[in-house]
Amino acid sequence: MIKIAPSILSADFSDLRSALNLCDAGMADYIHIDVMDNHFVPNLTIGPAVVKSIRFVSKTYFDVHLMVTNPQGLLNAFAKAGANGITFHIEAVDNPGSLIDQIKSLKLEVGISLKPATPLEKITPFLDQIDRVLIMSVEPGFGGQGYLPGANERISEIRKYLNEKCLDRVLIEVDGGIKLHNAKEVIDAGANVLVAGSEIFKANNPIQTIKDFYQLTE
């Protein structure tokens, strides 16, 4: 069974309460929260204060994706704000093992993400220490982009590695350009968690769209 993680990057920021209510009504597994610092990626989004405020609106798992240059400096703040899991970018840190230990010490789940051009070999030494790997299927920074050719091959390669190493517990999450028309091929490539933003929040019926994603595997 796949998990669906609506990305509030594509939601109406003036009414995040309603966006979260839609996600809960659709029974989404995660709320995907993209944190950008206008340095690691060319965009600036939300911080711990916003996460803390919306934590009171939803009890759904908060999947915080740090697209920032200094993830270490934000861990405690997001943990206190109500994050359930934190994913950092392998390109942003010099000592991934230490950062993984720091996140675990906060009793949070750990994810590692990588940009489309980053070799998968950069993250394989750490896959046995984490809960999820986040494959970016667009260049990180902005919502509404198209799914990049070659992403499915990367997903399949990571799936093969996890299977060979008996690491099936590690989830493969995919973020960027996920639509109803291409989601099945992403799932077939080996993904467990689909992050979808514009496809859900720009839809006429976001609740039904979330349910439609789940029905792809029925």
Side-chain angles (χ1 to χ4, degrees):
M1 188 68 180
I2 61 167
K3 298 179 183 292
I4 303 300
S7 171
I8 60 171
L9 181 64
S10 295
D12 180 355
F13 273 34
S14 71
D15 192 9
L16 287 177
R17 178 186 294 272
S18 292
L20 293 172
N21 288 341
L22 291 172
C23 294
D24 288 345
M27 301 185 70
D29 295 281
Y30 300 157
I31 303 297
H32 190 79
I33 302 172
D34 289 305
V35 177
M36 308 182 196
D37 63 357
N38 199 35
H39 189 270
F40 183 74
V41 293
N43 197 1
L44 185 65
T45 58
I46 64 178
V50 174
V51 173
K52 182 178 180 180
S53 68
I54 63 174
R55 179 76 279 181
F56 295 101
V57 178
S58 175
K59 294 182 180 180
T60 303
Y61 184 108
F62 276 10
D63 175 28
V64 175
H65 177 194
L66 296 182
M67 288 178 269
V68 302
T69 300
N70 180 28
Q72 298 94 327
L74 291 170
L75 299 183
N76 287 328
F78 277 105
K80 291 178 181 178
N84 297 104
I86 289 181
T87 296
F88 66 90
H89 268 263
I90 193 70
E91 305 92 350
V93 296
D94 295 323
N95 190 341
S98 176
L99 188 58
I100 290 168
D101 289 340
Q102 290 179 57
I103 297 172
K104 287 182 176 180
S105 73
L106 296 169
K107 310 300 182 185
L108 302 178
E109 291 190 345
V110 185
I112 294 181
S113 185
L114 70 172
K115 295 180 178 181
T118 300
L120 296 176
E121 291 74 18
K122 292 284 188 179
I123 65 169
T124 50
F126 308 101
L127 290 177
D128 62 343
Q129 304 171 46
I130 64 174
D131 300 287
R132 68 175 57 83
V133 53
L134 175 57
I135 300 293
M136 293 301 302
S137 44
V138 299
E139 289 295 336
F142 296 92
Q145 299 183 62
Y147 194 80
L148 286 175
N152 287 345
E153 286 75 11
R154 285 164 68 82
I155 296 166
S156 295
E157 188 173 342
I158 285 290
R159 171 55 60 206
K160 180 181 179 182
Y161 180 92
L162 293 175
N163 289 345
E164 290 176 348
K165 300 297 182 180
C166 298
L167 292 172
D168 293 348
R169 63 169 185 79
V170 179
L171 300 177
I172 298 178
E173 186 172 4
V174 183
D175 182 4
I178 302 292
K179 310 291 183 183
L180 285 170
H181 71 78
N182 65 8
K184 187 63 167 59
E185 65 187 55
V186 179
I187 296 166
D188 290 344
N192 306 106
V193 184
L194 303 183
V195 178
S198 58
E199 183 76 342
I200 291 173
F201 291 111
K202 306 305 181 186
N204 292 328
N205 188 336
I207 297 172
Q208 185 58 50
T209 301
I210 294 171
K211 294 178 179 179
D212 289 344
F213 272 111
Y214 285 118
Q215 290 171 0
L216 292 172
T217 56
E218 290 183 354

